[in-house]
Amino acid sequence: MPWVAKPKGSAMTHDDTDKTPRAADRARITEIDAEIRALEERIRVLREERAPCQQRMDAHKYPVLSLANEVISEIFIHFLLPYPACPPLTGRESPTALTHICGNWRQIALATPKLWRAILLPFVDDEDERYVLRILTTCLERSGSCPISIQLEPDLRLSKKFLKPILLHRQRWDLWNWLSLKVDEGSNDRHPNATPADFPRLREVTLNHVRHWSWLPVSQLTSLTLEDISPTKYIPLLQSEVNLLCLRIVDCEGRKPIQGDVHLSRLETLVMVHSEPRDRHQPYYGDPVLQIFTVPALRTLQISGTIMSDNPTALLTSLITRSGCKLQRVFVTGWRNFPKNGFRGSFPDIPEVVFNMSYEWYERTEGDEEDSGDELDGEDEDDLLYARPRRQMMTGW
């Protein structure tokens, strides 16, 4: 076809319209490449400048890193509470914190037995027993051949599985100021591998569902807590040679009348309580249990109102007369219909008589209001002698 000139003013073709953006892209790519080359050159210069700085840094020795491992180990030991006090298992004041600084210090901490010789086992629920047992076993292993101090928080009860690793290290016991046992009902809770000689420093014990205690060094105990144990079981224990200063009896119900006499010449604090609300009219032989005690040195008494009879004044008068004690503090808990006014007026020689008629005292939280007679300050956590510690969770091990 012969060539025909386009008329003036006719529209541009597709090829003509595409040339403009392609030219702009080529120009922009050229600019970007130039900027990249400039940045790469700048990076090269900075790297060359950085190299001698890094060499000087690598050659520098920080004073603390120049210390011998033995010196660092000694510093770590002084970081903790003085032995035999037991630091927490986790947190900033624990030996575990020293393993989180750097790899070298972690190895030093793990290789320092004295860091792991004081073991504080906190209160945990039953589902956390395996976790606590693993921590206990690990600390015992890390402590090497050092003497060991083992302390338990008051509401932690050791099952027999805990006793096995502890007894394996009995020759290293230096301090064991709290032992608490929890044994399932119906189980064989004898401890044939333990004798009183295995507990040379034991002073405070909590027993729960335990029926046999031939292994227990009774004569050296100063504090004893009995939980869910029949009076017919624990009275023979108290009738043996004991030197208790504090006795706590919790949920230890008698199913039949109790006979016998218990004379505790040094006892200063007696606690007899229920951990849960009870019907005042349900069968309970608390009165005879209280009446068998003769406690001439008694200064503080805490008792659940439901344990006392319909004539609590006569019951306490009998205890005071029989014992010849000079009570200084009396706490009555857990019975809202307790005759507070008449009871308080019957004992003018007792400086402090306190009533707390709710069961919230057993596990109180901030802001709990108290029903008090003389009157109990709801913010004073020390006014009640048997208060369950709040649960503590352990993390970061």
Side-chain angles (χ1 to χ4, degrees), residues 117-188:
R117 59 181 173 171
I119 304 170
L120 173 64
L121 297 178
F123 168 71
V124 292
D125 286 341
D126 291 344
E127 61 266 22
D128 295 325
E129 264 195 354
R130 181 178 300 180
Y131 182 51
V132 177
L133 181 60
R134 180 169 66 89
I135 294 177
L136 171 63
T137 304
T138 300
C139 287
L140 290 172
E141 292 173 352
R142 292 176 180 175
S143 63
S145 60
C146 290
I148 53 177
S149 170
I150 300 178
Q151 299 183 31
L152 284 70
E153 291 193 351
D155 208 47
L156 177 61
R157 304 178 180 91
L158 286 184
S159 61
K160 289 191 294 183
K161 66 181 70 174
F162 281 82
L163 283 178
K164 183 177 180 179
I166 292 175
L167 289 174
L168 288 176
H169 297 267
R170 67 167 70 93
Q171 70 279 6
R172 298 196 289 126
W173 291 352
D174 188 51
L175 174 66
W176 192 351
N177 67 357
W178 186 284
L179 173 65
S180 179
L181 300 173
K182 179 177 66 176
V183 180
D184 295 333
E185 292 186 74
S187 65
N188 179 12

Side-chain angles (χ1 to χ4, degrees), residues 84-115:
C86 296
L89 289 178
T90 60
R92 298 184 62 180
E93 297 180 356
S94 71
T96 309
L98 299 172
T99 67
H100 296 165
I101 300 172
C102 68
N104 183 41
W105 284 14
R106 174 180 175 81
Q107 295 304 317
I108 295 175
L110 296 179
T112 304
K114 289 184 177 181
L115 292 179

Side-chain angles (χ1 to χ4, degrees), residues 264-281:
L264 302 175
S265 60
R266 300 182 60 195
L267 192 72
E268 298 177 358
T269 300
L270 175 62
V271 178
M272 298 182 66
V273 294
H274 286 142
S275 62
E276 298 176 354
R278 303 294 175 94
D279 182 356
R280 182 172 66 89
H281 301 291

Side-chain angles (χ1 to χ4, degrees), residues 229-236 252-256 258 285 289:
I229 301 176
S230 169
T232 57
K233 298 293 184 181
Y234 69 71
I235 286 178
C252 295
E253 299 193 358
R255 301 302 180 185
K256 57 184 179 180
I258 306 302
Y285 296 97
V289 171

Side-chain angles (χ1 to χ4, degrees), residues 30 34-35 39 126 154 170 207 214 216 223 225 251 287 298 340 356 387:
T30 301
E35 291 180 9
L39 291 174
D126 291 344
R170 67 167 70 93
L207 301 177
S214 59
L216 191 65
S223 177
T225 298
D251 293 336
D287 294 358
L298 190 67
K340 294 183 292 186
N356 184 348

Side-chain angles (χ1 to χ4, degrees), residues 187-207:
S187 65
N188 179 12
D189 55 6
R190 297 182 186 273
H191 300 279
N193 295 324
T195 67
D198 291 324
F199 303 88
R201 296 176 177 268
L202 189 60
R203 297 294 180 270
E204 303 179 26
V205 175
T206 294
L207 301 177

